Each structure stands twice: as structure tokens, then as C-alpha cells.
Amino acid sequence: IAKEVAKLLEMKAQLGGDEGKPKFVLKTPKGTRDYGPKQMAIRERVFNAIISCFKRHGAEVIDTPVFELKETLTGKYGEDSKLIYDLKDQGGELLSLRYDLTVPFARYLAMNKITNIKRYHIAKVYRRDNPAMTRGRYREFYQCDFDIAGQFDPMIPDAECLKIVHEILSDLQLGDFVVKVNDRRILDGMFAVCGVPDSKFRTICSSVDKLDKVPWEEVRSEMVGEKGLSPEAADRIGEYVQLHGGLDLIEQLLQDPKLSQNKLAKEGLGDMKLLFEYLTLFGITGKISFDLSLARGLDYYTGVIFEAVLLQQENEHVEELVGVGSVAGGGRYDGLVGMFDPKGRKVPCVGVSIGIERIFSILEQRLEASEEKIRTTETQVLVASAQKKLLEERLKLISELWDAGIKAEMLYKKNPKLLNQLQYCEDTGIPLVAIVGEQELKDGVVKLRIVATREEVSIRRESLVEEIRTRTSQ
Amino acid sequence: IAKEVAKLLEMKAQLGGDEGKPKFVLKTPKGTRDYGPKQMAIRERVFNAIISCFKRHGAEVIDTPVFELKETLTGKYGEDSKLIYDLKDQGGELLSLRYDLTVPFARYLAMNKITNIKRYHIAKVYRRDNPAMTRGRYREFYQCDFDIAGQFDPMIPDAECLKIVHEILSDLQLGDFVVKVNDRRILDGMFAVCGVPDSKFRTICSSVDKLDKVPWEEVRSEMVGEKGLSPEAADRIGEYVQLHGGLDLIEQLLQDPKLSQNKLAKEGLGDMKLLFEYLTLFGITGKISFDLSLARGLDYYTGVIFEAVLLQQENEHVEELVGVGSVAGGGRYDGLVGMFDPKGRKVPCVGVSIGIERIFSILEQRLEASEEKIRTTETQVLVASAQKKLLEERLKLISELWDAGIKAEMLYKKNPKLLNQLQYCEDTGIPLVAIVGEQELKDGVVKLRIVATREEVSIRRESLVEEIRTRTSQ
């Protein structure tokens, strides 16, 4: 056997030697993309805004593996489960790529018996959905999640989640937005008083969830035709789901003769009122809309749900290109952790997820339109030489600068032309050039050139680090 | 059909209602782990050190998808290919999780026709290896890669990669380390003069690669027994691979009657000499060892290769627990990009990959041993109340603080006890408490308590933000 293996390896080595043309398509998988340096610069700006906000609200951070045991994800996503990426069975456990960060978070809490935590998690999730990449819909995309787990007084953490959405969307200056809010209990109560059988709540909820994309008539015919709901029930739902407003609507529904008789709906409306009182104290009700058509498809929500959408701006054609849509969503899921706990112990949770791919798309297109030049490095100084045979001197100087914490580059040529070195600074935005020359070496100085003004000053070698620091600190 | 679907969905909804005990094991997949807030705090320290270094050297940053087309990874990893995770065929493209960041980088360069870039990339990679988690070997782990692509003068970028390894390992204070350096051309030349047939170079190279883990006798018997090498050739290899040193050894081998006759070996030794001259200018040769036993298993290396290992520290039993081993590695791969280019155009590349899981393990255990308390949040102030019925006032104040950019928390209780609020600060390291009370509200002030000293001062509400900033800026 050993000899056979050796033979095969030999054959393979010979084949491997033929490094000819590739026989395959050169691309990233469907629905995915690379991020080049420019895109990364935008991405880091967005991340910084989001992480600052999460930290401002006192969140810790955690991370979980990109895949979970397949059974961990089973039964959590309703009709969306078909979009989960499974790994091939190569022996051992059956694995799936995470579909969101919420289920792994719940698994983490149950596994570590944590009953109280406020954390954020920023990572990629995976959905075998129909990609629409120009509108920022990908199969691999980032979620930025902030969640509060623990038994607390009603609506205080929920209100904070909405405050966070408001802070982040304001901070990123994406234009006008509205955060739609509803409650699963209000929806379920509404379904009950409209005559939807208990067993159809979830599937009818999925239909309502489509109302932001398709008109009511289509949703209605799905309910009646595909899902076997009575036309009367559907019409009653139709009346409710067109309602949206603020505290006034909540008061109105609390007086609604049918809805106010339903225990779940009443609970939900009472909490919604409390939520709006807190949001008033936060001064953000102007952007919040209590909207009975908001459903959200995922199975695990149990209370408040919400979704932030950007509003079309008529005058900025840049944004029309990327379209508008949901950029954040979340809600309360009090039962999910219990599904993982061996004894079914519940940990109430509420959280928000910021979907940044759409935000990227908008900022990317806006940046392209603005022709603003963004730097993709932070290099402070280029170590250059005016004459030949000074590679060793450049290496010595750049090493000194690195060791002093200065961000420095040099061209990887033995004898680069000064013009090329200066051009490199122009191209990449490096503000300073430290030029070594034979005379300067003798004199113990370095010539420092300010790229923007072309000014040149002689700096004593021992003062160079300090000089670069001063000149590159805003 | 629609009715059948509706029925099935009903049944599913009913089953879903039974949120009883889970029937599965509560764990992360084999060879993976969660990072809790404490681990994340350590991880961020390490990342910051590494990213600072990469930015100091003027690198841009990119990101690529977690999976690639399966064929993109085929034929790049030699015997390690069996460790690649494949995704299940769910229709559409065949995909695999990335095995490293180097092959995706080469694919990225070829796809975007980039011939010149210095970039870093920090992301998780996946290997179906035998995990040894206490020693920091996982199936999902981070790589921190820095690579320089482009046609440059010899050994200048290569020397910079070694400088980077030196800077990072010094900065992280992991104890003594050595960076072993060799060159694929020297290895191939050595194999040739020892009488290894061309077709066996790669497989014999894989055997030599094991020398850091198993003794020579075992490697020899694999070469002779399994791979069919003649005992004489093996013994000749055995003599070379025990050599290590610096410039002196390079000079000695340049005089070696056999090796110096081999074109490849001579080229490799010439470049190695140049490399050591540059490393001398960088002042880091003390930690660099030219080592003929260093092979590195991956197929794509073509020139300089290197690997950094931590040295056992006899006196610190903490480090003995986690063992020692390779924490960084890399080398030159001038042919890889050409394997992806339709016309086979080559882009010379050299790069380094920092493997941080072992570094984490060491720092984690060191931290546990030291009993140093690390904060996992950055919260500056807790908004508290001494009396009941002040929830609204707390919400108003915390909202003001958030809007002013202050990192603030409050307990999510309507009427928390002051003692519990102070205890929360002790537990989490929050340095300040802003206490609202009825008298303070009347007077237009807030009581600010310094947790460490228990001192309390009255601050006018309009000066509070400034006061918190001053007291929490180091």
C-alpha cells in the first residue's frame, strides 16, 4: 500500500507541475463579493459608528463559530429554513452555516447558563436567498446585533433597542427613516378576533410579513387561496393592517370593542403604550410608527417587533439607484433560550440587528458620486532617496521609524527615481517624504518634504520622529 | 397542492408549539469555541497590536467571502487538501470553506488584474484537522495575513515580512522566540544533490516538514518505507537538515562542493545572504535562524519560507501548560496568482500569516494566573436613583448623556435599590455614578459619585457631561 501511495503521489506531483491555464471560472460564489481597500475604508467607517453606539450603551462583545450543529438551527426560522446552507457530511457532526446571530446567541446563553447579559456581535451570516447585489442583498452579509437578555421591568430594554436604531441611523446620515413597531401579541390577538384558527397564526403572519413588498390584494389571495383562510377573516385583517400611528392609535385600539376583549392584544397594547411613553422621554417618537402591518417572518419573536426603513428621497437620484428598504430590525424573543435549555428555563431577550450591506451600497454610491478621495492606508511618511546606492540607508532609517511607531513606507527598489517616489505619495496620499542623500548623511540630517506644499526642511536625525509626529497630528 | 402545503404548515405550527426539552446536545461543533466577553477583550488587544503593526507598514485591508468555489482551492494544498470543508450540494455551485487567506488573495489579484498591492486580511479559516484545543489548535481559527504582491528587487519585501513578525512577537511580550528561515530552492537543490528523484520533491518535502514534531528517525523511515526513497539519499538529507545558523552557515554552504554546483540551491543561498544583510540593517538577526530542516507543507511556496516558534520558558510553568509551537509562518509564492490568471501571468508575492489562537491561549492562561481584572465594557457612568418613582428621570438623563456621546448604563428596573446600583458598578468597573434624587432635581444638579473613593460631588446638570469627560479621560 505504501508503495502505491508513493506512486500516486508521484503522479500527482507530475500533474501539479503543469501550472498552465486554469480550467475554471474566476469568480466569487454567487451572492458574495470581495471587499477591496476602498470598500473596506467605507465599511470601517460604518462599523465604527455602530460599535461606538453599542459601547455607548454598555454592551460587552462575544463571538461564536460560523457554523453550528445543524439541529441547533432546526425549527427556528419558519418558512425561511430552506435558505440555510448545510455543510457536506464528511464524517462527524452535521453542520450548517449560521443564518443569523440570534439563534447562536440563545444557544450560547443556554450552554453557559447565562441569565443576564447585554452584548453585541458583529459577524457574517449566510442565506441561500435570491441575491440582488445592486440593492445590497447578498448570500453572505454582515449583521450587527445588540441584545439585552434578562428578567427586567417591561419595555425598558425594548425602548433602549429603539433608541439605538435611532442613534445609529441618525449618526450615519442616511437620510430620512422611519422605525415601524408592532407586537406579536397584538398580531396574534388581531388574528384571533378576525377569526383565524390558532393553527394558522404563524403562516398567516408570514403572509402579512410580505405587505412591505407586495400589495394587499396579493397577500389576501395568498391567505385565502394557498393557506385556506376564509375571505371574511382576510378582509377583517385587511382593515387592521392598514392602520399606523402613534400613542393616539394605541389609545384607539385599546377602546376597540373586539381587540380590547382579547387578552393577548390587550397585554400587547398596554406594553406598546408604555414603550411609547419611554420613547417620548428619549425624544424619538417622531421617527417611530406603530404599524399593524409589520409582522416579521421569524418564528421566535414573542413580543415587540420593529423594523427600520429608509424613506425615498425624491431629490437625490443617487439613493434611488440602490432603492430603499429595511436596514435594521429586531424584537423580543422570550422563548428562544428556553428551547435550548435542558429544563426549558426561559431567559427573556430583546435585540436589534443592523443590516449594513444596504447601508454600504448607499454610502459606496454616494462616495463615488461625490468624487471624494479616501485614503486606504495611514502611512505618515515615505522614506526616499535622491541618489543611487542608498538602499541600505533607507532600510536603516525606515527601521528606526517603525521602531518608534511611525507609519512608514519605502519603494521596494534598489534605486528608485525620486520622481517615482514623489508620485507614489501623490497617488496614495502620504503627506511627508523623508529623503536621505549623501550630503544629509554626512550632516546628520534628513530632508523632510511636505507633499502638499512641496516645502523642504532639514531636520536633525534625532528630531525626525518628533517632527513627523507633530506634522501628522491633525 | 396549496391545500396540502397549508395542512403541513398547520401540523408544523402545532408541533412548533411544543417548546419542550431539546432532544440534542448543547455544544459548538467539534474543534470550535465561543468567545465570551473576557476572551474577546484579550482577542481585541492582540488584534490591535497586529493591526497597528500592519498599518505601520502601510498595508491596505481587504476581505473575501468565507467560502470559495471548490475548484478555486483544488490543487493548492498538497496532502492537506483532505482537510478542506466542503459545503453540501444544494443546487448551484460547489463550494468549500477557505483553508487559508493566501489562495483567496491570489484569486482576488488574478480576478481584478492587480499586479501590485500590500494588503492585510484578518479572518477565520477552516481545517478539518484533529483539534487540540488546550494547545490552541482549532478547526475554526483566525489568520492575520500581511502580503506584498508585485515585481520588486530581491529580498526587500521578504525582509519586511520578517521585520513584521519580529515587531509583533516582541510587542506581544510572549517570551523568547526564534524565526526559522529557509528557501524552497535550497530545499529542492538539496534534494537534487542528495539523489531524490524530481517527482518525489514535494512528498519528501512534506516528510521534512514533520521534523519539528517527530524525530529524524521517524521521518527517515517514512521517506524510505512509505515514500520509496533510497536509504543513502535519506541519510544525505539527514546530514543537511541538522544544520542551522546565520550568515556563517550561508557562506559555508555557498562553498559546499555539492550544493554550490546546483543552480537552484545557489540562487537560494545568494538570496538568503542578501536577506540576512537586510535583516542586519533591521537589527533583528539575533532572533533569526537559517534552518535547513524548515520545509512548510503547502505546495505553493517557491522561495523564502519562514516560521516563528516560541521557545519554552523553564521558569514559567504557565506557558508549559499551553505548550509551544509555531505562531507565525509564511514565505514567497511567485506562481500562485499565475495559476488563476487565464493567460498564466505571474504576480510575485511574499507574505506572513500570524496564527493567533496559540497566542490567545498563552495570554488567556497568563491572565487567569495573574488575577488581573479586565473590564469587558467601557461604560463611564451609571445613571442611578436613590428614591423610588424616578425611572422617567433616569431615562431622561441617560438619553441626554448618550446624545452627548457619554457611555452610560442604567439598571432596567423601575425602582432599583441604591445598593444594587452601586454593587453593579463594583462588579463591572464603572467608575462613576450619576444619582438623581428629588432634591437634586429641584436644585438643577446631579450627584456624581466616584466609585473608587466613594466621594460625592454636586454637579450642575449643564456641566455634567463635561465633568464626566474630564473625570474619565486618563
Side-chain angles (χ1 to χ4, degrees), chain A residues 179-191 193-194 204-205 207-212 216 223 236-246 248-254 256 259 265 268-269 272 276 289-296 305:
Chain A
V179 189
K180 297 180 190 171
V181 186
N182 198 359
D183 191 298
R184 267 287 160 86
R185 292 166 297 173
I186 300 176
L187 275 168
D188 285 354
M190 176 182 88
F191 292 146
V193 304
C194 291
I204 292 301
C205 194
S207 299
V208 171
D209 188 39
K210 295 173 183 161
L211 273 175
D212 57 337
W216 165 249
M223 288 177 174
R236 273 178 232 127
I237 294 174
E239 277 174 42
Y240 280 116
V241 295
Q242 57 183 291
L243 301 174
H244 53 93
D248 48 338
L249 178 59
I250 301 169
E251 296 290 2
Q252 179 195 319
L253 291 176
L254 276 169
D256 183 282
L259 222 46
L269 286 165
M272 189 61 67
F276 267 78
S289 168
F290 170 43
D291 189 326
L292 284 164
S293 74
L294 178 73
R296 290 185 69 73
I305 49 177

Side-chain angles (χ1 to χ4, degrees), chain A residues 2 27 30 34-35 60 63 66 90 93 107 124 128 140 153 160 163 376 403 412 414, chain B residues 27 30 34-35 60 63 66 90 93 107 124 128 140 153 160 163 226 376 403 412 414:
Chain A
K27 66 186 284 292
K30 186 179 176 187
D34 294 319
Y35 283 83
E60 302 181 285
D63 193 22
V66 80
Q90 294 170 290
E93 302 158 333
R107 192 265 308 147
K124 288 175 180 172
R128 296 179 57 253
E140 173 187 61
D153 282 324
E160 184 167 2
K163 176 83 169 90
T376 53
D403 292 342
Y412 302 122
K414 275 185 97 152
Chain B
K27 68 186 282 292
K30 185 178 176 190
D34 293 320
Y35 282 84
E60 303 182 283
D63 193 21
V66 80
Q90 295 171 288
E93 301 159 335
R107 192 265 307 145
K124 288 175 179 172
R128 295 178 57 253
E140 173 186 63
D153 282 324
E160 183 168 2
K163 176 83 170 93
E226 283 176 45
T376 53
D403 292 342
Y412 302 122
K414 274 183 98 151

Side-chain angles (χ1 to χ4, degrees), chain A residues 57-89:
Chain A
H57 288 262
E60 302 181 285
V61 57
I62 72 160
D63 193 22
T64 65
V66 80
F67 42 59
E68 295 278 344
L69 298 185
K70 184 173 165 59
E71 53 196 7
T72 299
L73 305 191
T74 305
K76 312 296 187 304
Y77 300 110
E79 295 180 9
D80 288 350
S81 296
K82 62 182 185 296
L83 303 180
I84 293 173
Y85 276 98
D86 292 329
L87 269 74
K88 190 170 154 185
D89 183 359

Side-chain angles (χ1 to χ4, degrees), chain A residues 347-367:
Chain A
V347 178
C349 294
V350 63
V352 51
S353 181
I354 314 284
I356 50 173
E357 313 302 324
R358 286 183 190 185
I359 296 175
F360 284 157
S361 294
I362 294 169
L363 293 181
E364 223 180 313
Q365 296 196 23
R366 193 183 282 177
L367 198 84

